[in-house]
Amino acid sequence: MAERSFAREVEDLKLGAGDVFRGEGILAITKALLQSGVSYVGGYQGSPISHLMDVLADAKDVLDELGVHFETSASEATAAATLSASVMYPLRGAVTWKSTAGTNVAADALSNLSSGGVTGGALIIIGEDYGEGSSIMQERSHAYALKSQIWLIDPRPNLSTLVRMVEEGFALSEASNTPVMLEVRIRTCHVHGQFVAKDNQKPKFTLREALENPVRDVNRIVLPPASFLHEREKLERRGPAAIEFVKEHRLNETFGPARGDVGIVMLGGMYNTTIRALEYLGLADGYGDSAVPLYVLNVAHPLIEDELVGFCAGKRAVLMVEEGAPDYIERDLNTILRRRDLQTKVCGKDVLPMGGEYTAPVLTKGLRQFLAVHARELLGNDPPQPDPSPVLADLRVKALAEVVPPRPPGFCIGCPERPIFAALKLVERELGQHHISADIGCHLFSILPPFNVGATTMGYGLGPASASAFNVKSDKRPISILGDGGFWHNGLTSSIGNAVFNKHDGVTLIVDNFYSAATGGQDIPSSRASNPRRKTNNSIVAAVRGIGAKWVRQIDRTYDVAKMRDTLREALASTTPGPKIIVASSECMLNKQRRTRPMLAEAMRTGKRVVREKFGVDADICTGDHACIRLSGCPSLSLRHTDDPLKDDPVAFVDENCVGCGNCGEVAEAAALCPSFYRAEIIHNPSSLERFVDRTRASIIGWFERRRNAGRIVFASNRG
């Protein structure tokens, strides 16, 4: 078993009625699922919801006792299709994934699910990864809720509210026969707090009961004529039922004074940041007591017109706080008020940015502009506030930015993917630049310095598919990259199968690091670990051969840069028709260190002899060319100034973070660079003989160093 253990987090899932749960928002949501009587949970890992999946994966005993089925889905589409169990049966089910990337994958299943509707509560927990720190395209999930009529909950970042919205989300789904999205931003997932727990609930209706009592209702299947009736049902019954439920259960909240000349309407996920901005302006305290009326949309879709009209009536203006573009709710709010003949001014994107994350400084600036026009008296004397402008406005930081280069994200220390791209650069140095189609995963870092490879990335597992148009006669073949996670997610059929079927003559490089590494190191079908709960050790090579690929090469040690280089060169020159596939395998170093370090620490603690490898650079031999850094990029490979008067440039230097992967030396050898790299063995708990040899070596080396230094002093004095 190679995955991380979440035994401590699992204990939190066992808390009962009256116990106080303390922890992160995403764990509170996980606990809320069990309190809600969920029958099954599925999903695909990805920030910021991986923790939910990881904890449930280790909670088998808890889930078995409750009769809850859990599985890690092959993709987000698989997870969404799992919710079909709630279409015919009163089963509560939940799935989760990273949005919007995952929602894009799941779109087909979601459309069918929302058209036919559900009988049991169906909850889709989506991790909204929007903002500057996001690793995906900047889009909102709101559009999916609107187009498919899936109700969208955007809860206030408060653990009690999060738990309540999970419970109410299931009830809302059942009351309106409609799936419900629960949108949680990164800040919401990682907010800390507490709530009073309830007992976990066994499902009222079990999966076994469903199997033993099958139900079939053709009117819920998306096929004419039923599909034409679904739209009418959405408009005439499901929509009104949802609106009535939200109103009756008061899912949206109001805060602050009952009356005021201005007010703020906000998405629930924006509440904490808005309160902080009001606090900066002296209009709220740290406990959320606001001097401005607030209307919090914990339910972003459907909007409750009566509540919005009641809140806006009598106000000169309201500010709509809606992060991201387009301004869906601001437009709807304008339409609602004008239809009711209310002339309340609606502000939003006129004082707040159209796009980008709404941080406290951004909201402070926008709120100040809004209040200065529509409620100047609230600002009082307008005392000095923290400068909300970007940090780079500070001249000192600007000056520093001109000296210190930006640090792009890159591979971890010792990453086995780095030598793959070093080999690719060596091949391109010999054969010229090629068109390279990249893919989602850790290997996408290769598009950044020092490798600078990759022209496009079109989606998870679609690297080779995005090279499909280049299947033409040419002196150069396209190269595509695919990770093992993407391979099992979507790539086997959409990329490899497509290339085989269309006799694509390009080269595909499958990066196999044994895990879904970029999402936290979860096991996948090709993981080399023995997982008692899942079937691992499924060969990627066997899979691609099974789908028809003929030219396949397996490299089981990616750190062999010379072999990687030669295999790539062979693939680009091969006359064999069809795709040329290289499976490059080595264990993710981060997961390897996570797995082996506790074992080594325990061995050292008990006095056992432990040998740890580390690489270094001989400063006397290094010329300061730095080609090794340009072909490696390892964070542990840095620069150090030397006292040698004959060397103007700093020399390469390996710091203490080195994990001894050997890539530096392999790259230097394959690229015919200077022979300045050496491999050292650090021995813990050495034997008596080893201690004696070490002392002898140290004394001899010390004698030579003193002699050399004396010569340098003489040289310097003669030169002076």
Side-chain angles (χ1 to χ4, degrees):
M1 185 78 172
E3 293 176 311
R4 295 176 62 186
S5 172
F6 294 90
R8 186 199 64 75
E9 289 86 347
V10 168
E11 291 302 311
D12 293 338
L13 301 182
K14 301 176 182 178
L15 296 174
D19 293 333
V20 177
F21 178 102
R22 295 179 177 86
E24 282 187 298
I26 193 63
L27 290 175
I29 292 171
T30 311
K31 168 64 173 157
L33 292 175
L34 303 184
Q35 293 181 177
S36 301
V38 70
S39 295
Y40 62 95
V41 183
Y44 193 84
Q45 61 274 356
S47 173
I49 54 80
S50 288
H51 217 35
L52 187 157
M53 299 286 295
D54 294 336
V55 171
L56 286 180
D58 277 0
K60 188 175 188 303
D61 294 341
V62 177
L63 301 182
D64 286 348
E65 183 179 342
L66 294 171
V68 178
H69 173 68
F70 167 78
E71 66 177 47
T72 301
S73 307
S75 70
E76 297 86 355
T78 305
T82 303
L83 288 174
S84 67
S86 296
V87 171
M88 299 294 178
Y89 307 98
L91 294 164
R92 286 190 166 184
V95 295
T96 185
W97 56 69
K98 175 190 183 79
S99 196
T100 55
T103 310
N104 292 338
V105 175
D108 195 8
L110 289 179
S111 293
N112 281 276
L113 183 75
S114 61
S115 183
V118 295
T119 301
L123 191 66
I124 305 153
I125 303 167
I126 53 175
E128 190 78 342
D129 191 2
Y130 178 86
E132 185 179 352
S134 173
S135 61
I136 60 171
M137 70 291 290
Q138 297 294 280
E139 293 182 356
R140 298 170 59 191
S141 301
H142 201 101
Y144 278 95
L146 295 178
K147 84 172 186 64
S148 297
Q149 188 161 310
I150 298 175
W151 311 137
L152 178 61
I153 295 178
D154 188 351
R156 191 160 53 94
N158 168 284
L159 263 60
S160 296
T161 303
L162 288 174
V163 171
R164 182 185 172 222
M165 289 302 142
V166 170
E167 297 169 343
E168 298 284 18
F170 281 118
L172 171 61
S173 177
E174 291 163 348
S176 61
N177 301 116
T178 304
V180 172
M181 280 185 176
L182 180 78
E183 175 184 271
V184 283
R185 294 173 173 80
I186 287 182
R187 295 178 188 272
T188 304
C189 288
H190 298 310
V191 69
H192 279 252
Q194 64 183 46
F195 69 94
V196 178
K198 301 176 184 176
D199 289 331
N200 294 331
Q201 300 292 323
K202 291 186 176 181
K204 293 180 179 179
F205 189 77
T206 67
L207 291 162
R208 180 170 181 172
E209 289 177 296
L211 285 172
E212 293 176 351
N213 300 277
V215 173
R216 180 174 177 271
D217 181 358
V218 71
N219 289 324
R220 290 210 179 275
I221 300 174
V222 185
L223 191 70
S227 55
F228 296 98
L229 300 176
H230 293 164
E231 184 176 15
R232 176 181 293 180
E233 184 182 0
K234 285 180 179 181
L235 297 174
E236 295 178 358
R237 191 184 66 78
R238 296 190 211 167
I243 291 171
E244 187 59 34
F245 183 94
V246 175
K247 290 168 62 176
E248 181 182 344
H249 292 79
R250 304 181 69 84
L251 299 190
N252 296 322
E253 301 172 289
T254 55
F255 298 95
R259 296 183 180 277
D261 291 332
V262 295
I264 302 174
V265 181
M266 73 193 74
L267 290 168
M270 295 284 96
Y271 175 81
N272 285 6
T273 314
T274 303
I275 286 294
R276 178 54 59 90
L278 287 170
E279 187 179 359
Y280 285 158
L281 295 171
L283 297 174
D285 59 23
Y287 298 96
D289 187 9
S290 171
V292 181
L294 310 176
Y295 179 63
V296 181
L297 292 167
N298 288 317
V299 180
H301 178 60
L303 295 175
I304 312 303
E305 293 192 12
D306 291 345
E307 292 182 359
L308 284 166
V309 169
F311 179 79
C312 296
K315 293 182 172 60
R316 290 197 297 264
V318 294
L319 176 66
M320 181 66 234
V321 180
E322 175 186 12
E323 186 178 61
D327 49 347
Y328 297 113
I329 302 179
E330 185 178 338
R331 296 177 188 178
D332 286 345
L333 182 55
N334 269 298
T335 301
I336 291 168
L337 296 184
R338 302 306 168 251
R339 281 178 177 172
R340 299 292 186 96
D341 200 24
L342 280 181
Q343 301 308 310
T344 303
K345 171 74 173 176
V346 177
C347 299
K349 299 300 184 183
D350 54 340
V351 295
L352 292 169
M354 178 61 77
E357 188 174 359
Y358 282 4
T359 60
V362 169
L363 282 178
T364 302
K365 183 178 180 180
L367 278 168
R368 185 192 297 275
Q369 291 180 21
F370 168 72
L371 294 173
V373 174
H374 300 288
R376 182 64 184 79
E377 65 279 4
L378 288 176
L379 293 176
N381 295 328
D382 200 12
Q385 303 295 333
D387 184 5
S389 57
V391 176
L392 284 181
D394 188 292
L395 295 178
R396 291 170 299 176
V397 178
K398 277 188 174 180
L400 186 63
E402 293 175 359
V403 178
V404 180
R407 183 181 180 184
F411 298 105
C412 299
I413 294 172
C415 176
E417 301 187 18
R418 185 177 287 107
I420 296 174
F421 298 105
L424 183 56
K425 293 298 288 185
L426 291 175
V427 171
E428 285 201 328
R429 189 171 68 178
E430 177 184 340
L431 302 179
Q433 189 173 355
H434 287 67
H435 175 83
I436 298 176
S437 298
D439 206 329
I440 304 297
C442 296
H443 41 84
L444 191 57
F445 290 134
S446 63
I447 69 171
L448 300 172
F451 302 113
N452 301 302
V453 299
T456 58
T457 175
M458 300 306 294
Y460 201 29
L462 297 177
S466 57
S468 298
F470 296 102
N471 188 18
V472 295
K473 293 288 185 181
S474 173
D475 292 335
K476 288 184 178 180
R477 286 182 176 141
I479 300 172
S480 34
I481 299 165
L482 179 65
D484 49 355
F487 173 83
W488 294 112
H489 176 276
N490 188 32
L492 177 59
T493 53
S494 297
S495 284
I496 304 301
N498 181 74
V500 171
F501 181 70
N502 289 295
K503 296 183 178 180
H504 198 288
D505 203 37
V507 176
T508 293
L509 185 58
I510 301 178
V511 180
D512 172 25
N513 58 31
F514 304 180
Y515 308 91
S516 180
T519 61
Q522 294 85 4
D523 281 343
I524 54 177
S526 54
S527 292
R528 306 293 177 93
S530 177
N531 191 316
R533 301 187 187 126
R534 304 187 186 97
K535 174 66 172 69
T536 52
N537 284 283
N538 298 286
S539 169
I540 293 177
V541 170
V544 298
R545 289 191 186 279
I547 208 169
K550 301 300 182 185
W551 197 103
V552 184
R553 301 289 186 270
Q554 168 80 52
I555 297 177
D556 243 345
R557 182 176 173 273
T558 62
Y559 297 103
D560 190 341
V561 177
K563 185 174 182 180
M564 280 295 317
R565 176 200 60 200
D566 295 344
T567 307
L568 279 165
R569 186 192 295 133
E570 179 191 356
L572 290 168
S574 173
T575 58
T576 303
K580 268 63 71 176
I581 299 172
I582 303 170
V583 182
S585 306
S586 274
E587 183 177 12
C588 165
M589 184 57 71
L590 191 64
N591 283 282
K592 181 179 180 180
Q593 293 297 313
R594 183 184 293 145
R595 177 173 58 82
T596 59
R597 277 183 175 174
M599 295 187 294
L600 294 176
E602 177 62 20
M604 287 187 283
R605 189 186 66 81
T606 56
K608 295 180 181 178
R609 180 179 181 273
V610 174
V611 179
R612 183 167 62 89
E613 289 188 348
K614 184 179 183 295
F615 275 73
V617 175
D618 189 326
D620 289 334
I621 299 176
C622 178
T623 62
D625 174 71
H626 309 153
C628 53
I629 294 177
R630 294 193 294 273
L631 283 170
S632 171
C634 181
S636 68
L637 188 58
S638 185
L639 297 175
R640 170 182 281 180
H641 286 281
T642 175
D643 296 330
D644 192 336
L646 299 178
K647 294 181 179 179
D648 296 328
D649 294 323
V651 297
F653 167 69
V654 180
D655 67 24
E656 291 302 315
N657 293 308
C658 174
V659 295
C661 70
N663 183 49
C664 297
E666 294 277 355
V667 168
E669 183 177 341
L673 302 177
C674 64
S676 59
F677 285 94
Y678 64 84
R679 180 177 62 85
E681 291 184 348
I682 302 173
I683 303 174
H684 300 270
N685 302 317
S687 65
S688 300
L689 177 60
E690 287 171 330
R691 292 177 186 274
F692 171 76
V693 171
D694 180 63
R695 287 194 299 268
T696 303
R697 285 174 175 169
S699 62
I700 294 173
I701 293 172
W703 182 81
F704 278 112
E705 284 184 342
R706 290 190 295 272
R707 181 181 177 185
R708 182 188 64 177
N709 291 336
R712 283 180 175 176
I713 293 173
V714 171
F715 173 81
S717 61
N718 291 336
R719 188 178 182 183

